[in-house]
Amino acid sequence: SGGVNFTVNFTDWGGGMTSYSGMAYSNQTDLDNAVDTNYSAYANPAGGANGSENYGVFFPSYSGGDSVFFDDPINLEHAFFTNHVWTYHYINGSDGSGTGEFQQGDYMVLNVIAYNESNQITGNVEIDLAVFTGGNSSIMDNWIQVDLSSLDSVKYLKFEISSSDYMAPTYFCIDDLTYANLTGKPEAEKEQVNVYPVPFNDKIHIDGASNAHFKLYDACGKLIRSGKLNTEHENLSAGNLPAGMYFINIDTKEKRIVRKIFK
């Protein structure tokens, strides 16, 4: 998304048991149900940062193998963070488990660690998801913009969560990760191609890809449709497509963009 690659590891253990680590995207807005199947960010209003619909939910693996990496080394600027709903309710004791409810001396800290192309750590930023020390007691309960400008020449990031409570669910949410390439041009100023909505219904909207070509494939790799995108705002008729997963390839002059979409 926007030149950033988010990894996810999914395991099917059999018998209906599955697990994942890494990044998933979500648009859920359930602030009440404190369960691991509720992939909602705790925020007011509910949803993504700055009114966005989609955002990332991250669950770091114990191996530390999950990462967010960039096509080319970049200089970070900022990102928005907040707690996952289950994590928030666990910390304040409202998840119904009878455990949790942080006391003085408890904490949960997210560590954002930057690596360069040589796989060397070049810096880190620590973010308090909850802090109950020095007489203070606070839980991150909304999207907070965090300055990451001290992290430069970054090829990839890793995330680690440390907590005084080893039973606490170690999820966090992220949105609007902003960076500049090494020539100094902010990523937000570069041409962005947006494919929406997800899921789509009778139309697929494509913005920011004029004079480009597209190919639409089904989940098995069969070519469904192809054509040219002539303007900045194109609408593809999709009412006759069956429900399922699709991939759309968009070829601009600079690069190929691949999006996974659903109906």
Side-chain angles (χ1 to χ4, degrees), residues 2 38 42 115 146 179-180 184 198 223 232 256:
N38 178 13
Y42 200 92
Y115 292 77
V146 176
Y179 64 92
V198 180
L223 180 63
E232 285 287 318
R256 168 169 289 179

Side-chain angles (χ1 to χ4, degrees), residues 32-263:
D32 298 319
N33 290 308
V35 293
D36 59 347
T37 54
N38 178 13
Y39 299 110
S40 297
Y42 200 92
N44 184 21
N50 297 314
S52 67
E53 181 177 351
N54 297 326
Y55 54 89
V57 178
F58 204 94
F59 180 64
S61 72
Y62 294 107
S63 66
D66 309 307
S67 61
V68 168
F69 60 97
F70 304 89
D71 294 337
D72 299 295
I74 55 86
N75 296 331
L76 281 166
E77 295 186 355
H78 63 262
F80 285 80
F81 296 88
T82 191
N83 272 304
H84 180 272
V85 164
W86 184 24
T87 304
Y88 175 85
H89 283 293
Y90 180 94
I91 291 171
N92 74 7
S94 57
D95 69 327
S97 68
T99 59
E101 191 168 7
F102 278 22
Q103 307 295 327
Q104 275 297 305
D106 286 328
Y107 62 87
M108 180 177 286
V109 176
L110 168 64
N111 192 13
V112 182
I113 308 168
Y115 292 77
N116 62 17
E117 287 189 289
S118 300
N119 299 316
Q120 298 173 321
I121 295 176
T122 59
N124 71 291
V125 172
E126 292 188 347
I127 302 165
D128 289 327
L129 299 178
V131 56
F132 285 65
T133 59
N136 298 316
S137 57
S138 63
I139 311 171
M140 189 178 289
D141 60 359
N142 210 343
W143 290 105
I144 301 297
Q145 181 175 312
V146 176
D147 183 6
L148 301 175
S149 60
S150 62
L151 307 178
D152 52 21
S153 299
V154 179
K155 181 59 177 175
Y156 63 98
L157 299 171
K158 288 189 176 182
F159 301 95
E160 295 179 355
I161 291 181
S162 58
S163 175
S164 57
D165 184 344
Y166 73 93
M167 293 293 291
T170 53
Y171 295 82
F172 71 89
C173 299
I174 183 173
D175 203 357
D176 287 356
L177 179 65
T178 303
Y179 64 92
N181 60 29
L182 293 184
T183 62
K185 183 179 180 180
E187 181 64 19
E189 295 179 5
K190 296 168 66 178
E191 181 182 18
Q192 296 292 307
V193 176
N194 295 313
V195 181
Y196 64 96
V198 180
F200 64 88
N201 189 10
D202 60 339
K203 292 186 182 297
I204 302 170
H205 304 284
I206 304 174
D207 292 346
S210 62
N211 297 318
H213 291 82
F214 77 91
K215 291 182 178 180
L216 181 67
Y217 298 89
D218 66 14
C220 297
K222 179 183 177 181
L223 180 63
I224 303 298
R225 190 178 306 166
S226 63
K228 186 177 181 181
L229 304 171
N230 296 302
T231 67
E232 285 287 318
H233 307 285
E234 293 279 349
N235 297 317
L236 305 182
S237 177
N240 63 335
L241 295 178
M245 180 174 68
Y246 297 86
F247 295 88
I248 185 166
N249 293 0
I250 300 172
D251 290 306
T252 69
K253 292 181 180 179
E254 293 80 17
K255 59 184 177 180
R256 168 169 289 179
I257 299 158
V258 180
R259 295 285 189 268
K260 180 167 64 176
I261 53 179
F262 304 88
K263 183 176 183 181

